[in-house]
Every structure is written in structure tokens, then in C-alpha cells.
């Protein structure tokens, strides 16, 4: 993150973190986290931690959706906790790696609901719980009806 970033206001910090992810600034994204920070993708039950892993979901979605956008609808701040209601939007133009296989590009558009909870500590992300609606994403990509046939192993 740029040194000029205002990390004293939790909502501003989180909005800037989203902007960093949108730019696919993976080093900047990882710099948003504390040394022991975690990123939990609750749709698949995977926790990312450490400098080699914290950017994995951002990198994967950026690869699968070259036009990836996070539309922020509502932001609530309670102390050092920021809760965001948003949508993940983009066109599936690249491979999407998932724990159970890789989904080749479908060309379909996704506009899926998501909720994120950020716990901040000393102006950085200590814990990021991401709740993307995986079943909506897979339905919009056209694979939920026949998931096994859609995956490459």
C-alpha cells in the first residue's frame, strides 16, 4: 500500500485495500495484512496465511475474471471491524482453480453476492472472512447442474 494511505480510518483502509486488489497489486494486497494475518474463503473452507498465500484468491479470481470488479453496496464499521455487503462481478475468461479442480473459461458473466468481514489491528488486516456465494457463482457460470463434467482433473 502506498505510504500516504490513511490507515487510521478503518472504512477508508478497507476501501483502499479493495482498490489494491482490483488493480491486481498483489504485493500491495499482501502488505495490507499483519504479519500473522489470515484470509479465509468461507465458501470453500480454506484459510490463506503467510506472504506466499494471502494473495492466492485475488490472483485466482483475477486470472479467471480479467475484468474482475467488487461492487461495494454497504459498509459498516464497529471499532476495528469492517463489514461489507458487495457483489463479485466479472466475465469468466480464464481458468478458475478450485480445491476440487479447475474450471475452464465459460465466457459467462458472474454477478454474485458476497459479504466480507475485516478485523483490523494496528491499521492492518488481522483476519479477513470472505463469504462469496459459491453456488450463485457456479450457477451463473453454467456448471452447477453438472459440476463433475465441467471440471478438469
Amino acid at each position: 500500500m502506498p505510504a500516504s494511505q490513511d490507515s487510521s480510518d478503518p472504512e477508508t483502509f478497507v476501501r483502499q485495500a479493495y482498490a489494491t486488489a482490483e488493480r491486481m497489486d498483489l504485493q500491495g494486497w499482501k502488505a495490507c495484512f499483519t504479519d500473522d494475518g489470515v484470509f479465509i474463503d468461507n465458501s470453500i473452507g480454506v484459510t490463506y496465511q503467510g506472504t506466499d498465500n494471502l494473495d492466492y484468491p485475488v490472483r485466482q479470481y483475477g486470472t479467471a475474471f480479467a475484468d474482475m470488479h467488487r461492487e461495494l453496496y454497504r459498509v459498516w464499521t464497529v471499532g476495528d471491524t469492517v463489514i461489507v455487503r458487495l457483489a463479485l462481478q466479472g466475465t469468466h475468461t480464464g481458468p478458475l482453480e478450485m480445491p476440487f479442480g479447475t474450471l475452464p473459461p465459460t465466457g459467462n458473466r458472474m454477478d454474485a453476492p458476497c459479504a466480507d468481514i475485516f478485523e483490523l489491528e494496528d491499521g492492518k488486516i488481522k483476519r479477513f472472512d470472505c463469504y462469496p456465494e459459491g453456488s450463485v457463482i457456479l450457477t451463473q457460470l453454467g456448471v452447477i447442474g453438472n459440476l463433475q463434467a465441467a471440471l478438469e482433473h
Side-chain angles (χ1 to χ4, degrees), residues 117-129:
I117 302 171
F118 295 86
E119 293 179 31
L120 306 180
E121 180 179 274
D122 298 325
K124 289 192 169 197
I125 301 166
K126 172 81 171 171
R127 181 183 175 114
F128 171 33
D129 281 290

Side-chain angles (χ1 to χ4, degrees), residues 1-17 31-33 77 79-80 82 120-125:
M1 291 244 147
S4 63
Q5 178 167 314
D6 177 10
S7 62
S8 62
D9 174 54
E11 179 178 340
T12 299
F13 175 81
V14 166
R15 286 181 180 276
Q16 290 173 342
C32 291
F33 287 80
T77 301
D80 284 336
V82 179
L120 306 180
E121 180 179 274
D122 298 325
K124 289 192 169 197
I125 301 166

